[in-house]
C-alpha cells in the first residue's frame, strides 16, 4: 500500500489595472507528475518558519518574477493526487490570496513555469486547467468588482 503525505502550499492571483479593467497573471507549465501542459496560478509549499502569506509572496516572486502585495485572502482548495516519482498519495491544501502587482516584469523566473502572461480575469478563469483555480479567479474578480473592493 502506498504511503500518504500532507502538503500545505500558498499562492496568489496577481492582478493589475488595465485600460479595460483588471488583468491577472497566469502561468503555463508542464506538470512534472502527469506530463500534461497546464495553465495555473503561481503557488508552492510552505517552508519551515514561514506564514502562509510569506509563502504566497515568495512563490509569486520565485515562479513569475513579480513583487506583489496581498490584498485579501481568497480561500483554499483541498485535493488528493498520486505523486508518481515517490509512489505516494498526497493530500494537498493550497491557500490563495488576491495580490496587487507591485514591481517586476512577469517572466518564468525559476524554470518551473514555461510561460507567463497577463490577460483579463475572465480569460484567466477560462484558461485555468483546474476547476478549483477557475473558482479562485472568479472569487478574485467578484471581490474586485464588489461594493467594497480592495485598493490596488
Amino acid at each position: 500500500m502506498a504511503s500518504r503525505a500532507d502538503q500545505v502550499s500558498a499562492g496568489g492571483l496577481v492582478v493589475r489595472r488595465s485600460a479595460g479593467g483588471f488583468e491577472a497573471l497566469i502561468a503555463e507549465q508542464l506538470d512534472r507528475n502527469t506530463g500534461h501542459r497546464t495553465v495555473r496560478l503561481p503557488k508552492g509549499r510552505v517552508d519551515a518558519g514561514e506564514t502562509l502569506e510569506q509563502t504566497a509572496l515568495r512563490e509569486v516572486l520565485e515562479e513569475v518574477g513579480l513583487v506583489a502585495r496581498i490584498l485579501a485572502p481568497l480561500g483554499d482548495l483541498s485535493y488528493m493526487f498520486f505523486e508518481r516519482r515517490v509512489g505516494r498519495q498526497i493530500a494537498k491544501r493550497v491557500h490563495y490570496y488576491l495580490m496587487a502587482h507591485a514591481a517586476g516584469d512577469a517572466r518564468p523566473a525559476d524554470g518551473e513555469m514555461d510561460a507567463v502572461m497577463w490577460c483579463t480575469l475572465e480569460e484567466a478563469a477560462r484558461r485555468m486547467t483546474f476547476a478549483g483555480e477557475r473558482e479562485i479567479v472568479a472569487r478574485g474578480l467578484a471581490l474586485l468588482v464588489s461594493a467594497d473592493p480592495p485598493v490596488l
Side-chain angles (χ1 to χ4, degrees):
M1 183 163 140
S3 63
R4 182 184 145 174
D6 295 326
Q7 285 183 4
V8 177
S9 292
L13 170 62
V14 182
V15 297
R16 68 181 184 186
R17 285 196 183 277
S18 69
F22 298 103
E23 291 181 321
L25 185 84
I26 61 175
E28 183 178 299
Q29 78 176 151
L30 187 64
D31 188 295
R32 292 184 311 255
N33 195 48
T34 65
H36 296 119
R37 186 141 309 275
T38 61
V39 176
R40 54 182 52 199
L41 300 173
K43 69 175 183 331
R45 287 190 217 170
V46 177
D47 285 344
E50 275 185 329
T51 66
L52 294 171
E53 293 87 353
Q54 288 169 332
T55 298
L57 292 168
R58 176 181 54 77
E59 287 293 334
V60 164
L61 180 60
E62 286 178 2
E63 291 188 352
V64 298
L66 297 180
V67 174
R69 65 182 172 82
I70 293 177
L71 300 173
L74 290 175
D76 59 83
L77 300 175
S78 294
Y79 55 92
M80 298 280 293
F81 69 96
F82 186 76
E83 190 175 30
R84 292 180 181 161
R85 65 186 166 89
V86 294
R88 67 180 172 183
Q89 276 298 119
I90 304 293
K92 187 159 190 147
R93 186 173 198 170
V94 186
H95 300 266
Y96 286 96
Y97 296 89
L98 179 62
M99 300 177 176
H101 173 230
D105 295 320
R107 61 187 166 72
D110 67 359
E112 199 166 324
M113 300 300 179
D114 298 321
V116 297
M117 64 221 76
W118 290 100
C119 60
T120 66
L121 276 114
E122 295 82 5
E123 182 182 349
R126 281 192 306 275
R127 294 191 60 188
M128 291 290 104
T129 298
F130 303 107
E133 287 192 341
R134 285 192 292 276
E135 173 61 26
I136 293 297
V137 174
R139 289 179 198 170
L141 178 58
L143 191 56
L144 288 167
V145 298
S146 70
D148 189 24
V151 177
L152 285 184

